[in-house]
């Protein structure tokens, strides 16, 4: 087991390249099952969630060939059993995209329920509602989700809440169904548009992705394609906030600035300078940080996946900021850890009141989930003294070469092996 050790206080300076989007990759890779040919997928991020999805494809029988660390070729034609057991799904949320993809391909699927970050209750009722609308019979039996249809038939599906996962899963199931499926109140995140573009590049007929009504005319067959995944909005946002929090000056490259508008707007409100280029944003700060209020919302609102990171920034701002979390019930689990570092945050349900402090101080902390882990890294970069972060496997699920990228920006950050007696103490109490 390893931990990150950060000696804080260095402003980040220089350039950083953003990798492919995790939440697009984890939808697009399972979607390759739907085609009768070879998909070459480029710009995949080299992170553990993506490796886990590629592993599932391989175990299912797909022919998987890594061309280099960011390009994979997948030929799904040898997959015959639409079955994904527990040991493959338990560590990640996106494994449930195999339900939609295999239902779309084989008209049936048997998949263990997904794992992923503990952000509160994570039901899949809207996914099930969509599958049933298309004519599938869904049962949960011996802890497995069983989905089966004679022939999938396109239908209107109204989502009771905006759900990224349900929108993706219904698109996957509907793309080869007979007739027209209309998803209303669909999610509009950039990765939804990316998935639609990928499927369309294989011959699908999907219109309206990026708006709240997506129309899918089912097609008989999808063919192989070559496709490059969009840059990661959340990875980019994390470096933007790290640059701002440390009082640095960083050019965040290989991004789509439009996807970052809600983050840029909030940074500017906090007194941070944001300069936009065609495929880069430059973040710099010289003066003090100002308070600002945040409410997380589905895209194009402020992303919940940036909420822990901006809480660190607001901890260092002058005045009191309010953060309202409207997507997840349990997304303030990092607050205890930040308070060990001197932050002053009071949480009441889904609202946090952040009183700015002059500085954070290094402390031993533990990453409770992926984005909370990223927030603790930012806190460590700004803090006076040494911060040690345990449970870094959460962070590795979503950030490619975090240590290398931060080191190149001037951070003093190392990965250190934990001594066996310390691990023993942590495990046995
Ligand atoms: N919801 C339901 N029923 C459903 C589906 C969702 O009640 O059937 C609720 C959820 O409980 C939540 C809200 O609807 O309160 C939104 O959930 P959504 O389905 O949009 O989330 P998700 O698809 O499970 C994805 C990302 C998350 C990100 C959310 C919101 C992936 C693999 N995960 O999760 O990303 O927080 O959308 O934008 O795309 C992360 O990357 O760190 C991460 C957690």
């Amino acid at each position: 087991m390893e931990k990150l050790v950060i000696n804080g206080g260095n402003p980040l300076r220089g350039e950083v390249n953003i990798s492919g989007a995790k939440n697009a990759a984890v939808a697009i890779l399972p979607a390759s099952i739907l085609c009768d040919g070879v998909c070459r997928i480029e710009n995949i991020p080299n992170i553990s969630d993506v490796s886990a999805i590629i592993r599932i494809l391989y175990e299912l029988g797909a022919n998987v060939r890594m061309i280099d660390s960011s390009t994979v070729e997948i030929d799904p034609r040898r997959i015959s059993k639409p079955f994904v057991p527990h040991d493959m799904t338990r560590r990640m949320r996106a494994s449930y995209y195999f339900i939609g993809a295999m239902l779309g391909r084989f008209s049936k699927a048997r998949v263990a329920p997904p794992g992923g970050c503990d952000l509160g209750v994570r039901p899949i009722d809207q996914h099930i509602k969509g599958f049933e609308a298309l004519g599938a019979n869904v049962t949960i039996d011996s802890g497995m989700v069983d989905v089966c249809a004679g022939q999938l038939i396109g239908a209107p599906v109204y989502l009771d809440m905006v759900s990224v996962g349900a929108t993706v899963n219904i698109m996957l199931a509907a793309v080869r169904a007979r007739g027209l499926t209309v998803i209303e109140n669909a999610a509009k995140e950039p990765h939804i548009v990316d998935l639609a573009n990928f499927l369309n590049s294989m011959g699908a007929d999907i219109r309206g992705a990026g708006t709240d009504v997506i129309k899918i005319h089912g097609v008989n067959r999808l063919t192989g394609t070559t496709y490059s995944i969009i840059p990661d909005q959340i990875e980019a946002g994390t470096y933007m906030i790290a640059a701002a929090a440390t009082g640095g000056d960083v050019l965040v490259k290989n991004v789509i600035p439009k996807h970052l508008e809600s983050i840029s707007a909030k940074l500017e409100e906090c007194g941070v300078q944001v300069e936009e280029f065609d495929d880069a944003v430059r973040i710099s700060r010289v003066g003090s940080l100002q308070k600002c209020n945040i409410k997380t919302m589905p895209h194009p609102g402020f992303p919940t996946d940036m909420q822990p990171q901006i809480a660190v920034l607001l901890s260092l701002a002058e005045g009191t900021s309010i953060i309202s979390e409207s997507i997840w019930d349990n997304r303030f689990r990092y607050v205890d850890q930040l308070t060990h570092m001197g932050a002053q945050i009071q949480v009441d349900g889904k609202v946090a009141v952040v009183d700015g402090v002059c500085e954070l101080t290094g402390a031993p902390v533990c990453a409770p989930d992926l984005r909370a882990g990223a927030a603790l890294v930012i806190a460590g970069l700004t803090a006076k003294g040494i911060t040690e972060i345990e449970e870094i496997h959460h962070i590795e699920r979503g950030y490619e070469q975090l240590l290398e990228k931060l080191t190149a920006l001037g951070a003093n950050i190392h990965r250190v092996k934990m001594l066996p007696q310390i691990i023993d103490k942590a495990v046995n109490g």
Side-chain angles (χ1 to χ4, degrees):
M1 261 196 258
E2 293 181 321
K3 62 184 172 184
L4 287 178
V5 178
I6 306 174
N7 192 350
N10 294 357
L12 299 186
R13 293 189 195 287
E15 299 182 354
V16 62
N17 259 314
I18 297 308
S19 303
K22 167 178 96 77
N23 289 345
V26 297
I28 285 173
L29 289 164
S32 67
I33 290 183
L34 288 156
C35 92
D36 294 316
V38 178
C39 290
R40 183 185 171 102
I41 304 169
E42 300 169 349
N43 203 32
I44 52 169
N46 190 359
I47 51 176
S48 61
D49 266 16
V50 163
S51 313
I53 292 277
I54 291 177
R55 170 113 215 143
I56 297 176
L57 285 163
Y58 174 78
E59 300 276 345
L60 287 173
N63 196 348
V64 177
R65 201 157 74 92
M66 287 308 297
I67 306 299
D68 57 41
S69 65
S70 63
T71 307
V72 64
E73 271 184 8
I74 299 162
D75 181 346
R77 285 173 289 190
R78 282 198 347 225
I79 297 179
S80 55
K81 262 203 267 161
F83 171 61
V84 185
H86 274 286
D87 53 332
M88 295 190 204
T89 64
R90 91 190 115 93
R91 294 198 56 167
M92 62 175 320
R93 194 76 199 154
S95 53
Y96 60 19
Y97 293 149
F98 283 97
I99 309 177
M102 294 201 293
L103 182 61
R105 170 81 200 215
F106 301 104
S107 295
K108 60 182 176 186
R110 184 169 163 81
V111 178
C117 290
D118 177 7
L119 308 174
V121 186
R122 298 184 76 169
I124 59 165
D125 55 300
Q126 299 303 303
H127 305 233
I128 293 173
K129 178 180 176 178
F131 298 146
E132 287 178 341
L134 297 178
N137 186 28
V138 184
T139 50
I140 313 253
D141 145 46
S142 317
M144 299 291 284
V145 183
D146 252 309
V147 195
C148 181
Q151 153 93 68
L152 289 167
I153 302 195
V157 184
Y158 176 81
L159 295 180
D160 297 333
M161 77 279 301
V162 178
S163 160
V164 170
T167 304
V168 168
N169 247 336
I170 298 166
M171 281 164 75
L172 296 175
V175 75
R176 288 179 60 165
R178 202 171 62 193
L180 172 67
T181 298
V182 181
I183 309 176
E184 295 204 50
N185 200 24
K188 297 183 282 215
E189 269 64 7
H191 31 287
I192 300 286
V193 180
D194 210 31
L195 173 66
N197 288 341
F198 170 69
L199 291 168
N200 284 343
S201 78
M202 297 200 289
D205 182 352
I206 302 176
R207 296 169 202 200
T211 75
D212 47 20
V213 181
I214 301 180
K215 293 188 177 161
I216 306 154
H217 284 272
V219 295
N220 286 335
R221 197 164 170 267
L222 296 177
T223 55
T225 186
T226 295
Y227 191 81
S228 182
I229 286 175
I230 53 166
D232 196 303
Q233 174 202 27
I234 305 300
E235 189 199 14
T238 301
Y239 283 98
M240 289 163 73
I241 290 183
T246 58
D249 184 344
V250 174
L251 187 67
V252 183
K253 292 177 21 177
N254 182 35
V255 298
I256 298 174
K258 178 94 191 134
H259 294 168
L260 303 172
E261 276 173 356
S262 60
I263 304 164
S264 300
K266 284 294 163 185
L267 285 177
E268 284 177 327
E269 237 178 279
C270 292
V272 176
Q273 285 206 307
V274 181
E275 217 179 324
E276 228 178 80
F277 304 94
D278 286 347
D279 60 356
V281 287
R282 181 177 169 196
I283 304 299
S284 57
R285 174 171 72 87
V286 273
S288 58
L289 287 163
Q290 305 306 311
K291 70 182 168 98
C292 101
N293 296 336
I294 301 283
K295 184 172 166 89
T296 63
M297 299 287 278
H299 192 77
F302 189 87
T304 173
D305 293 345
M306 289 303 304
Q307 185 257 96
Q309 300 90 314
I310 203 144
V312 175
L313 189 84
L314 298 177
S315 291
L316 295 164
E318 284 175 6
T320 301
S321 308
I322 312 280
I323 302 178
S324 313
E325 170 59 44
S326 65
I327 311 290
W328 299 114
D329 291 336
N330 196 12
R331 204 154 205 177
F332 287 120
R333 294 196 312 144
Y334 60 89
V335 165
D336 276 357
Q337 306 294 308
L338 268 191
T339 52
H340 294 326
M341 300 179 70
Q344 297 223 343
I345 307 177
Q346 304 293 327
V347 177
D348 184 4
K350 289 165 78 173
V351 176
V353 178
V354 185
D355 283 314
V357 295
C358 293
E359 64 179 14
L360 298 175
T361 45
V365 289
C366 194
D369 60 57
L370 166 59
R371 306 304 174 187
L376 292 173
V377 170
I378 298 174
L381 293 170
T382 70
K384 191 167 162 206
I386 307 281
T387 299
E388 298 188 353
I389 307 176
E390 292 184 14
E391 301 286 344
I392 60 173
H393 60 94
H394 287 297
I395 307 174
E396 286 161 354
R397 288 187 40 221
Y399 291 89
E400 177 172 337
Q401 296 203 307
L402 178 76
L403 196 100
E404 293 76 4
K405 291 183 184 185
L406 286 174
T407 304
L409 292 172
N412 187 339
I413 179 168
H414 299 277
R415 190 191 300 268
V416 173
K417 276 210 163 39
M418 287 165 69
L419 297 173
Q421 62 269 34
I422 298 176
I423 296 172
D424 191 47
K425 199 171 158 222
V427 172
N428 297 320

